[in-house]
Amino acid sequence: MTEMKGWKEIPIGGMILDAGNSEAYNTGDWRAFRPVPGEAECTNCMLCWLNCPDSSILVDAENEEMTGFDLKHCKGCGICAAVCPVNAGVIRRAEGEVEKDDPRLCIRMVEEGKFQEVGNE
Amino acid sequence: MSKFEALTGNAAVSNAMRQINPDVVAAYPITPQTDTVQTFSEFVADGLVDTEFVTVESEHSAMSACVGASAAGARVMTATSANGLALMWEIIYIAASNRCPIVMSLVNRALSAPINIHCDHSDVMGMRDSGWIILMSENGQEAYDNIIQAIRIGEHPDVLLPVAVCQDGFITSHSLERVELFEDGEVQDFVGTHEPQWPLLDVEDPKTYGPLDFYDYYYEHKRQQVEAMEKAHGVIREVTQEFNDRFGREYGLFEAYRMDDAEVAVIAANSTAGTAKTAVDNLRDQGLKAGLLKLRVFRPFPGQELAEALRGVSAVAVMDRAISFGSMDNAGPLFSEVVSALTLNDVHVPIADYVYGLGGRDIRPGEIENVYQEAFQMAENGKVERRVRYLGVRE
Ligand code: SF4
Ligand code: SF4
């Protein structure tokens, strides 16, 4: 929780004087699901990076690798998992239902409450 | 050397705008303000000012452009009336909340419906809680003087609030009067250059105006606006004093006309105060001790000072050129303010409200003399016969 400031300590009129400070603002704290890497191997196609509405896919630009999720800002919308072609392959090959937190997926969407049980990251 | 010219109230304001030479003016024509910005647009076309004149498709856009330009760092002015002001509504609050020191000439006119283009104060009274500083002017000269001071008041670092300068539609906006215009250089020297603290155009130091502000900080920003209004009290005094010293005027938060030994007082604003002075003079000639308080600063409301000025009189009559429908006794907005001010400052005196002049209906000295006569009666009986009267309405 960020420290709450009094009216004398903040810029007037709601102005934001430090450019780019939204990065420091934790907007991911009301997420209901979180994306978690699964067993299927990522191909670094970057479709998730392209589609994430919150710029929350972390990449290693030099090595052109998708490296994880920025959980301070990720809202758990699941768009990354929905567009991931590797996920699509897993679902197509699977016999029967694939839950969205199925460990066989490349990006799993795990309920925040159950996250500890999954024991990832 | 200043010079005297025969000017309408609107033209007096246009000339003040020319001398101030604001960076941006955004406006949309509406009667009776129209020729303020029309005359000013001629100054722009003639190259007499450096102003970027933004013609827009509505008053909502006009005030939006003003907010944007002010945030960018410009000195910004505009003008409007009645329904034009009403169409600006959403952005009126945003201008004050974003702390944009825009200066507006507000030529008072009745709000529709029925549609009416003549004077009353229903337009400005609607913006009384919006966070704008509001100055009232008896005539074109005062509108000119107030506009010049408004720039300094609004832009003061302790204030940073928009300022509306009112005068009465048609009654003074379209009447020719003798107006003293100061030298251009003197006005420019008085207003100085605008030095915005947080201009958006400073790309080296980017910043954000108007972001989302929830239950976590919105309330703190409103508290800051209260502080700015509190500070405005002192700043208005300072700027007024400096203006008086430089230009030989005697402005205050209000004008006390023949109040020294007055037994009864009338409170009025804008042009009616001029008419009331004639009434006071007539009554004084008959040996009656009548006095007048002419309101100049309506926001922030100088309640304590007003109460002190009225301490000692035996009756008070408030003249309201608007109705606050559904308020106690369906009185005018000024009445409620004055009653609160007197009560909270322990000035207990019979007081009545006189709503008058709606939709531009004339108010004559004789009618105001009658108001005084009733006030003398209240003083004598020590009680109020009828709390609110609608002066001049046909039964
Ligand atoms: S769940 Fe939504 S917000 Fe989070 S990383 Fe995936 S696409 Fe981005
Ligand atoms: S997680 Fe899926 S969508 Fe994202 S880069 Fe890897 S394969 Fe592509």
Side-chain angles (χ1 to χ4, degrees):
Chain A
M1 183 84 181
T2 356
E3 192 208 334
M4 303 304 281
K5 293 179 175 163
W7 63 268
K8 291 177 192 158
E9 305 168 283
I10 53 174
I12 60 167
M15 276 176 233
I16 296 173
L17 302 180
D18 313 319
N21 73 355
S22 60
E23 210 171 349
Y25 190 43
N26 185 355
T27 57
D29 57 0
W30 46 267
R31 186 178 50 233
F33 289 90
R34 74 162 63 184
V36 173
E39 289 157 11
E41 201 181 331
C42 165
T43 62
N44 294 314
C45 70
M46 296 300 159
L47 269 180
C48 56
W49 174 81
L50 199 63
N51 283 280
C52 170
D54 271 293
S55 307
S56 294
I57 302 292
L58 302 175
V59 293
D60 172 352
E62 211 153 292
N63 298 312
E64 296 184 18
E65 273 174 12
M66 184 274 187
T67 58
F69 306 94
D70 169 8
L71 294 173
K72 263 178 88 176
H73 302 102
C74 162
K75 307 296 183 300
C77 66
I79 289 175
C80 50
V83 299
C84 174
V86 177
N87 271 13
V90 170
I91 293 163
R92 195 173 58 244
R93 284 190 298 275
E95 313 265 316
E97 282 285 290
V98 177
E99 296 295 335
K100 62 181 170 188
D101 62 350
D102 193 300
R104 291 172 291 173
L105 291 166
C106 178
I107 300 181
R108 315 165 56 193
M109 295 305 298
V110 180
E111 256 181 71
E112 275 296 318
K114 290 188 186 156
F115 170 68
Q116 293 304 335
E117 297 163 31
V118 176
N120 225 324
E121 199 232 34
Chain B
M1 274 289 282
S2 61
K3 59 178 177 180
F4 291 89
E5 282 190 27
L7 295 172
T8 63
N10 276 343
V13 169
S14 309
N15 273 284
M17 290 169 75
R18 174 180 59 73
Q19 296 178 314
I20 290 162
N21 193 8
D23 301 306
V24 173
V25 168
Y28 188 81
I30 183 164
T31 304
Q33 162 282 125
T34 306
D35 67 338
T36 310
V37 288
Q38 185 183 319
T39 306
F40 184 75
S41 71
E42 288 168 16
F43 296 148
V44 175
D46 292 345
L48 298 178
V49 288
D50 309 307
T51 307
E52 182 76 35
F53 190 95
V54 189
T55 53
V56 286
E57 75 281 14
S58 77
E59 282 86 356
H60 188 276
S61 306
M63 190 43 68
S64 300
C66 286
V67 168
S70 179
R75 175 174 276 165
V76 185
M77 300 184 76
T78 188
T80 196
S81 294
N83 295 40
L85 178 67
L87 186 50
M88 287 181 176
W89 218 250
E90 179 191 12
I91 317 298
I92 286 292
Y93 276 76
I94 292 173
S97 307
N98 279 351
R99 310 298 294 276
C100 297
I102 297 158
V103 171
M104 173 204 285
S105 168
L106 178 56
V107 183
N108 299 127
R109 159 185 156 179
L111 282 169
S112 301
I115 193 162
N116 179 299
I117 56 169
H118 291 280
C119 175
D120 72 29
H121 297 164
S122 51
D123 54 2
V124 59
M125 289 303 153
M127 76 189 290
R128 66 198 155 137
D129 297 336
S130 67
W132 282 59
I133 290 168
I134 300 172
L135 306 179
M136 312 295 285
S137 325
E138 181 185 326
N139 47 40
Q141 181 71 66
E142 289 192 7
Y144 171 87
D145 293 352
N146 277 338
I147 284 274
I148 293 168
Q149 294 170 69
I151 297 281
R152 285 276 305 277
I153 294 165
E155 287 176 7
H156 193 286
D158 291 345
V159 177
L160 292 175
L161 290 174
V163 187
V165 174
C166 298
Q167 65 170 311
D168 280 349
F170 289 111
I171 300 167
T172 65
S173 72
H174 284 62
S175 297
L176 273 180
E177 63 174 275
R178 181 177 181 269
V179 176
E180 180 183 16
L181 297 181
F182 309 125
E183 259 178 45
D184 295 357
E186 279 187 78
V187 174
Q188 276 169 16
D189 191 52
F190 184 80
V191 297
T193 44
H194 179 39
E195 278 167 28
Q197 265 171 284
W198 303 283
L200 273 181
L201 280 183
D202 178 7
V203 290
E204 298 299 319
D205 182 16
K207 48 200 76 70
T208 303
Y209 274 75
L212 196 67
D213 195 13
F214 277 162
Y215 36 72
D216 48 359
Y217 279 106
Y218 180 89
Y219 198 178
E220 277 66 32
H221 290 122
K222 295 296 121 181
R223 177 62 184 85
Q224 292 174 334
Q225 282 177 254
V226 171
E227 192 68 4
M229 270 295 172
E230 286 290 328
K231 293 266 174 64
H233 271 291
V235 170
I236 292 170
R237 280 174 197 277
E238 264 171 47
V239 172
T240 302
Q241 193 54 53
E242 193 184 324
F243 188 87
N244 289 348
D245 293 345
R246 279 223 215 174
F247 298 109
R249 296 279 192 265
E250 287 175 2
Y251 291 117
L253 300 173
F254 46 79
E255 178 187 344
Y257 184 75
R258 304 188 81 163
M259 279 295 294
D260 281 349
D261 60 342
E263 276 168 21
V264 304
V266 162
I267 301 175
N270 280 11
S271 68
T272 304
T275 317
K277 284 175 184 171
T278 305
V280 168
D281 292 345
N282 291 344
L283 294 165
R284 287 274 174 177
D285 287 347
Q286 297 162 34
L288 294 167
K289 290 181 175 167
L292 171 74
L293 276 191
K294 178 182 86 179
L295 202 61
R296 172 171 174 252
V297 180
F298 178 63
R299 283 287 181 269
F301 194 74
Q304 205 182 329
E305 295 83 353
L306 212 79
E308 286 319 316
L310 291 170
R311 200 183 289 283
V313 302
S314 308
V316 176
V318 179
M319 308 258 330
D320 255 305
R321 205 164 195 150
I323 298 175
S324 178
F325 294 106
S327 68
M328 270 187 296
D329 297 323
N330 288 290
L334 189 52
F335 180 69
S336 312
E337 299 272 348
V338 174
V339 169
S340 307
L342 293 182
T343 309
L344 296 177
N345 289 287
D346 281 319
V347 177
H348 302 289
V349 61
I351 180 167
D353 192 27
Y354 290 84
V355 172
Y356 74 98
L358 301 192
R361 180 153 306 176
D362 263 345
I363 176 92
R364 294 180 300 273
E367 290 170 285
I368 301 178
E369 282 171 41
N370 286 342
V371 169
Y372 275 105
Q373 295 295 0
E374 291 186 18
F376 279 114
Q377 245 161 34
M378 280 197 292
E380 204 176 302
N381 305 338
K383 65 174 195 284
V384 185
E385 284 298 321
R386 206 155 81 207
R387 185 88 61 209
V388 181
R389 280 179 203 271
Y390 303 99
L391 209 61
V393 78
R394 288 183 301 277
E395 294 297 337

